[in-house]
């Protein structure tokens, strides 16, 4: 048995967040990775819980020091997965990291040897379901919806690079499948 790094990716609206919450609730041997960001905290967000909030200078210093498993820029702010935090957590637990497909593939390419991540892609049963799930999110206007659909199609096109592709048809069944994958990989 060893602690592993599980990276869960998938198009927005596919149910990743709910699945990750379920897994964390049921398995005390799992911890969630906390990312660093340069964006301002939103109301109610706590430093060290939702994110580690850094200044741009602090973030760039960490980039220089090779302190991230991967990092990216979204909406004018930096986001990254801190190596030291993940390393520390993995001394006691397996770690779940929820990031996009590009981030996941970057982790494998840059830090595959040390962290040996298990890449899991969660996909919707079909495009119709994806669209209806995206529409169910009240915040989506027409343009945002189109953008997210295009993004989802791009992510799905990279599925061959994943260790596991799990179709989320039924939430509880999918959670069971993820638990099986986690258990099997711990034994490797
Ligand atoms: P938000 O500001 O709404 O919390 O997140 C904005 C975007 O940043 C989301 O798409 C989220 O998935 C992405 N994000 C959050 N943490 C990380 C990270 O550690 N690395 C990367 N590449 N993206 C992240």
């Amino acid at each position: 048995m060893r602690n592993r790094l599980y990276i869960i990716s998938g198009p927005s609206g596919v149910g990743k967040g709910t699945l990750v919450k379920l897994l964390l609730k049921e398995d005390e041997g799992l911890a969630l990775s906390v990312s660093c960001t340069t964006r301002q905290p939103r109301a109610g967000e706590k430093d060290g819980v939702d994110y580690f909030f850094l200044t741009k200078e602090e973030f760039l210093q960490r980039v220089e020091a090779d302190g991230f498993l991967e990092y990216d820029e979204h909406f004018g702010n930096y986001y990254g997965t801190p190596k030291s935090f993940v390393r520390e957590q993995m001394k006691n637990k397996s770690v779940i990291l929820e990031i996009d497909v590009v981030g996941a593939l970057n982790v494998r390419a840059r830090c595959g040897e040390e962290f040996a991540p298990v890449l899991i892609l969660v996909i919707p049963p079909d495009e119709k379901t994806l669209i209806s799930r995206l529409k169910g999110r009240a915040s989506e206007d027409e343009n945002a919806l189109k953008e997210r659909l295009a993004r989802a199609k791009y992510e799905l096109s990279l599925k061959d690079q994943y260790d596991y592709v799990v179709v989320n048809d039924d939430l509880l069944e999918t959670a069971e499948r993820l638990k099986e994958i986690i258990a099997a990989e711990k034994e490797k």
Side-chain angles (χ1 to χ4, degrees):
M1 283 265 276
R2 64 172 170 141
N3 294 326
R4 302 295 308 259
L5 175 63
Y6 300 97
I7 305 187
I8 302 199
S9 313
S12 69
V14 79
K16 285 174 312 231
T18 313
L19 286 164
V20 167
K21 276 195 198 116
L22 264 173
L23 293 173
L24 288 166
K25 206 169 108 186
E26 291 184 16
D27 186 347
E28 289 193 344
L30 286 176
L32 187 66
S33 170
V34 179
S35 297
C36 297
T37 183
T38 60
R39 83 151 160 74
Q40 292 299 311
R42 295 185 187 126
E45 282 185 336
K46 290 200 179 76
D47 188 45
V49 177
D50 300 284
Y51 283 104
F52 294 106
F53 295 99
L54 303 182
T55 63
K56 196 172 171 191
E57 290 68 34
E58 287 167 337
F59 195 101
L60 292 175
Q61 272 169 16
R62 281 217 197 186
V63 171
E64 278 298 303
D66 194 24
F68 292 111
L69 280 160
E70 58 78 45
Y71 70 96
D72 207 347
E73 200 180 336
H74 299 282
F75 321 111
N77 287 301
Y78 290 114
Y79 294 80
T81 310
K83 269 189 188 173
S84 54
F85 181 80
V86 174
R87 219 181 252 136
E88 205 50 43
Q89 294 283 314
M90 281 178 76
K91 286 183 183 162
N92 303 311
K93 297 185 178 202
S94 286
V95 172
I96 293 199
L97 176 58
E98 193 194 319
I99 48 172
D100 68 2
V101 171
V102 175
L105 296 175
N106 275 340
V107 174
R108 171 167 280 163
R110 289 167 35 94
C111 315
E113 222 159 279
E114 180 184 352
F115 290 90
V118 180
L119 267 51
I120 305 170
L121 185 65
V122 182
I123 63 170
D126 50 53
E127 192 175 318
K128 227 174 100 192
T129 315
L130 176 67
I131 294 172
S132 75
R133 286 187 192 164
L134 284 177
K135 279 190 175 156
R137 295 192 154 188
S139 60
E140 304 300 334
D141 64 34
E142 202 54 38
N143 271 339
L145 189 67
K146 270 194 195 146
E147 235 171 69
R148 283 180 189 250
L149 248 186
R151 176 87 200 160
K153 285 188 181 167
Y154 170 67
E155 298 206 331
L156 296 178
S157 77
L158 297 173
K159 69 178 192 300
D160 290 348
Q161 299 190 50
Y162 267 68
D163 299 312
Y164 297 94
V165 178
V166 178
V167 179
N168 185 19
D169 209 345
D170 174 277
L171 206 67
L172 292 179
E173 273 175 29
T174 309
E176 284 308 313
R177 176 74 190 117
L178 292 176
K179 283 186 219 166
E180 283 168 16
I181 293 171
I182 287 170
E185 289 291 336
K186 267 191 188 172
E187 296 301 330
K188 281 190 183 168

